[in-house]
């Protein structure tokens, strides 16, 4: 009888200790991000711990995308990954990230271009925290008010280009990203977007408008404004040294330029033929690990992303910590009061389009930069270079379209 009683007691004790572990949410969230995002995440992490009593562990990864794909496919990895919007297509298609349902009211809190960036096949897979696009940066000591049209800028820059100094520069060489604002301004596009889904066989890089924009790129070279070999490094060094009046560059370099020359100005890109420049817009944000091993933390992760990292106060705190222009509209307006460079970045981004987040972009990157290099060096005409490159892109994508969607 005593043995039976002991067995019952032991069994009850085991049940008492084991049962509470079932059905409980984890008391820890794991986030993977780059070293540049840690400072911005720290205040959100502390607020979440204070209110939700859940620890947030931030792990820095040098190669976030590749490591996340490898881990998620193995059913492991973090609860949340912070990355660029153009990862979404590959990750969502392979079931590695979870859909995030935001109502229209919540979506309206963010710049539309940032929400579009994290949308794949009509579904949202991430909550953006920052947006960035190319801008015009200028040395106020050399020019007070920069031209608002590319046509006028060309004339002004030409008059100021002499003796090793330049009126205007940008990274024209081997860089489709930097050249797209001209092509996009005249109606050129990568893939037609219909209802939140890209039609990768509808390519608009060889349209009449795209060719018109490319011809202006050629003018900048032919008229001696931008040397055909100019790359990003050339632009940065010349601006730091005060040898160039105006440059087209990304907001990620603004703080560095301001340290060298505190008297700089930033404005959105000029118009071409009366039409707005259309830069690529990059958004970064939060995505949730969608593999089965992480299902227990999905609700907790969504709470963190939507109600903390995606809130006005959360995104403003991230701006204060990390310095990137918030994707949340009200938080961005707050940031503009602190930093005069935020508004022109957003103005430029609002004229732009998100880089397509489908795998087919890899094929475009493979040929589009070379397409521009061939005509700017005089190897062939603008029309021939563009039509040849786009034909190659179409042929490669047509072999297996579903692979690249």
């Amino acid at each position: 009888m005593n043995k039976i009683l002991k067995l019952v007691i032991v069994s009850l004790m085991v049940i008492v200790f084991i049962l509470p572990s079932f059905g409980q949410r984890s008391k820890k969230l794991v986030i993977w991000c780059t070293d540049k995002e840690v400072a911005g995440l720290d205040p959100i992490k502390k607020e979440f711990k204070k209110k939700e009593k859940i620890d947030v562990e931030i792990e820095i990864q040098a190669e976030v995308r590749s490591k996340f794909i490898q881990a998620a496919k193995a059913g492991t990895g973090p609860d949340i990954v912070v990355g660029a919007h153009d990862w979404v297509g590959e990750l969502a298609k392979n079931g590695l990230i979870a859909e995030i349902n935001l109502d229209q009211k919540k979506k309206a809190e963010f710049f539309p271009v940032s929400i579009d960036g994290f949308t794949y096949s009509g579904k949202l897979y991430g909550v953006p925290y920052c947006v960035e696009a190319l801008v015009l940066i200028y040395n106020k000591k050399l020019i007070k008010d920069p031209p608002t049209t590319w046509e006028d800028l060309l004339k002004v820059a030409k008059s100021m280009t002499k003796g090793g100094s330049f009126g205007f520069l940008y990274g024209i060489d081997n860089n489709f990203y930097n050249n797209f604002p001209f092509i996009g301004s005249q109606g050129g596009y990568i893939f037609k977007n219909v209802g939140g889904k890209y039609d990768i066989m509808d390519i608009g890089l060889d349209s009449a408008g795209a060719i018109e924009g490319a011809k202006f790129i050629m003018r900048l070279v032919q008229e001696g404004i931008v040397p055909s070999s100019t790359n990003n490094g050339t632009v940065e060094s010349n601006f730091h040294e005060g040898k160039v009046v105006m440059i087209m560059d990304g907001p990620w370099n603004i703080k560095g330029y301001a340290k060298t020359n505190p008297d700089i100005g930033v404005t959105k890109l000029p118009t071409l033929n009366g039409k707005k420049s259309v830069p690529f817009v990059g958004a970064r944000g939060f995505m949730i690990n969608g593999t089965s091993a992480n299902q227990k933390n999905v609700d907790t992760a969504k709470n963190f992303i939507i109600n903390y990292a995606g809130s006005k106060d959360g995104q403003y705190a991230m701006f204060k910590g990390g310095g990137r222009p918030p994707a949340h509209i009200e938080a961005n307006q707050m940031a503009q009061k602190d930093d005069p460079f935020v508004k022109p970045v957003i103005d430029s981004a609002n004229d732009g389009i998100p880089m397509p987040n489908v795998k087919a972009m890899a094929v475009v990157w493979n040929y589009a930069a070379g397409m521009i290099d061939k005509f700017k060096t005089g190897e062939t005409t603008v029309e021939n270079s563009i039509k040849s490159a786009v034909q190659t892109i179409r042929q490669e994508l047509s072999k297996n379209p579903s692979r690249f969607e």
Side-chain angles (χ1 to χ4, degrees):
M1 188 70 176
N2 287 337
K3 288 183 179 180
I4 295 174
L5 182 61
K6 287 180 179 179
L7 283 172
V8 171
I9 293 171
V10 170
S11 298
L12 287 171
M13 291 176 66
V14 169
I15 291 171
V16 167
F17 283 105
I18 291 178
L19 276 181
S21 65
F22 288 94
Q24 283 190 345
R25 293 184 305 170
S26 171
K27 290 298 181 182
K28 181 176 74 172
L29 275 180
V30 178
I31 300 177
W32 282 7
C33 65
T34 66
D35 57 344
K36 295 180 180 179
E37 285 156 324
V38 173
L41 282 170
D42 194 55
I44 314 299
K45 165 186 170 179
K46 292 177 180 177
E47 184 71 9
F48 191 73
K49 169 66 173 177
K50 179 181 177 181
K51 291 186 176 179
E52 303 291 341
K53 312 302 180 190
I54 297 175
D55 289 316
V56 177
E57 184 176 302
I58 299 173
E59 297 181 4
I60 298 172
Q61 302 291 338
E63 300 291 337
V64 181
R65 181 178 187 169
S66 59
K67 288 184 178 179
F68 175 76
I69 290 173
Q70 184 178 16
K73 284 183 175 180
T76 61
D79 300 297
I80 297 169
V81 60
V82 184
H85 80 268
D86 57 346
W87 302 2
V88 168
E90 181 182 8
L91 301 184
K93 186 175 181 180
N94 288 286
L96 304 182
I97 52 176
E99 181 183 357
I100 300 175
N101 294 308
L102 293 185
D103 59 34
Q104 291 304 315
K105 183 179 178 181
K106 184 65 180 176
K107 284 183 180 179
E109 293 179 8
F110 299 87
F111 290 107
V113 70
S114 67
I115 291 292
D116 290 345
F118 280 94
T119 300
Y120 174 74
S121 290
K123 297 179 180 179
L124 185 67
Y125 285 94
V127 173
Y129 83 84
C130 75
V131 285
E132 297 175 321
L134 292 171
V135 289
L136 188 71
I137 304 171
Y138 57 99
N139 187 332
K140 288 184 177 180
K141 293 179 180 178
L142 303 176
I143 190 168
K144 183 178 179 182
D145 297 307
T148 58
T149 73
W150 284 113
E151 292 90 343
D152 286 345
L153 186 144
L154 186 150
K155 294 174 185 176
V156 171
K158 193 170 187 177
S159 69
M160 303 180 86
T161 300
K162 51 191 172 184
S165 295
F166 303 90
F168 171 72
L169 289 177
Y170 78 101
I172 191 175
D173 189 50
N174 193 32
N175 196 315
F176 180 62
Y177 177 91
N178 287 347
N179 284 290
F180 185 75
F182 302 107
I183 293 170
S185 72
Q186 304 306 295
Y189 59 91
I190 311 297
F191 308 118
K192 182 69 73 176
N193 190 318
V194 181
K197 183 176 182 178
Y198 289 104
D199 179 352
I200 64 169
M201 296 311 299
D202 187 343
I203 303 170
L205 287 177
D206 57 352
S207 65
I211 291 172
E212 184 68 23
K215 286 182 176 179
F216 186 79
I217 296 172
M218 191 62 186
R219 276 189 68 192
L220 290 170
V221 175
Q222 289 178 327
E223 298 195 27
I225 310 302
V226 181
S228 64
S229 61
T230 306
N231 57 33
N232 288 337
T234 307
V235 173
E236 291 172 27
S237 61
N238 275 279
F239 197 78
H240 279 300
E241 294 170 13
K243 294 180 179 179
V244 57
V245 181
M246 299 169 284
I247 60 173
M248 179 168 64
D249 202 355
W252 44 86
N253 282 330
I254 291 175
K255 298 296 183 184
Y257 292 141
K259 287 181 181 178
T260 304
N261 177 13
D263 201 15
I264 65 168
V266 180
T267 186
K268 76 173 190 174
L269 298 180
T271 62
L272 179 61
N273 295 326
K275 299 175 182 178
K276 295 177 181 179
S277 292
V278 181
F280 279 134
V281 178
R284 291 185 68 82
F286 299 86
M287 295 164 277
I288 297 173
N289 191 327
T291 60
S292 58
N294 293 73
Q295 290 303 303
K296 64 180 180 180
N297 268 0
V298 166
D299 289 340
T300 305
K302 285 182 178 179
N303 182 30
F304 177 85
I305 288 175
I306 296 170
N307 298 315
Y308 289 84
S311 70
K312 175 187 71 174
D313 292 337
Q315 297 227 337
Y316 180 63
M318 290 183 69
F319 164 75
K320 297 291 284 185
R324 287 179 163 173
H328 190 285
I329 296 172
E330 288 189 43
N332 193 281
Q333 291 169 345
M334 295 165 66
Q336 290 179 27
K337 296 177 181 178
D338 297 338
D339 185 342
F341 300 139
V342 170
K343 186 178 185 304
V345 173
I346 294 304
D347 289 342
S348 205
N350 282 334
D351 289 343
I353 59 167
M355 281 183 288
N357 57 19
V358 289
K359 200 171 181 179
M361 269 307 289
V363 179
V364 175
W365 293 126
N366 284 343
Y367 298 104
M371 168 184 83
I372 292 167
D373 288 347
K374 285 182 179 179
F375 71 68
K376 73 177 173 60
T377 56
E379 182 178 332
T380 185
T381 65
V382 171
E383 290 91 340
N384 287 343
S385 182
I386 287 178
K387 289 185 180 298
S388 175
V390 174
Q391 182 181 12
T392 302
I393 293 170
R394 284 198 182 99
Q395 288 175 343
E396 192 162 326
L397 292 178
S398 66
K399 293 176 183 177
N400 189 358
S402 62
R403 174 190 169 197
F404 294 105
E405 291 177 341

